[in-house]
Amino acid sequence: HVQLVESGGGSVQAGGALRLSCTASGPDLNFACMGWFRQAPAKEREVVAVIARIGTTAYADSVKGRFTISKDNPKSTLYLQMSSLKPEDSAMYYCALRWNFCAVNSDAYITWGQGTQVTVS
């Protein structure tokens, strides 16, 4: 049974940076696709970035060039480095996991963290 715990959220001024972390407990994450999603009030949950088992990454157009997803398999930790933050990046950020191949729709992910709030003013 995999558990995901996010950390690193907070409040930051526009143009600032934050690094989110997601620590996983459970089976070998080398076989997992992991992703970051976000949900703002009254909006649907949307994909931010995903990273495949072999390290291939994909990003939402809105964050390309500003956010970087990475993972440290021995530490079972997923990261999201966010820079040049904008007020529209404000949301609850969730990490998620699915086995084998990646997907960009949140319905495809079976395991979720509790979320960490990011507020950009």
Side-chain angles (χ1 to χ4, degrees), residues 97-119:
L97 175 150
R98 73 184 305 270
W99 297 110
N100 296 314
F101 302 105
C102 279
V104 297
N105 53 306
S106 59
D107 291 348
Y109 288 78
I110 59 171
T111 302
W112 293 84
Q114 82 288 350
T116 186
Q117 179 68 40
V118 172
T119 302

Side-chain angles (χ1 to χ4, degrees), residues 1-2 13 15 33 44 48 50 57 73 76 83 86 97 107 110-112 116 119:
H1 178 64
V2 179
Q13 291 188 337
C33 168
E44 293 187 355
V48 175
V50 298
T57 59
N73 283 337
S76 297
S83 60
K86 305 175 181 180
L97 175 150
D107 291 348
I110 59 171
T111 302
W112 293 84
T116 186
T119 302

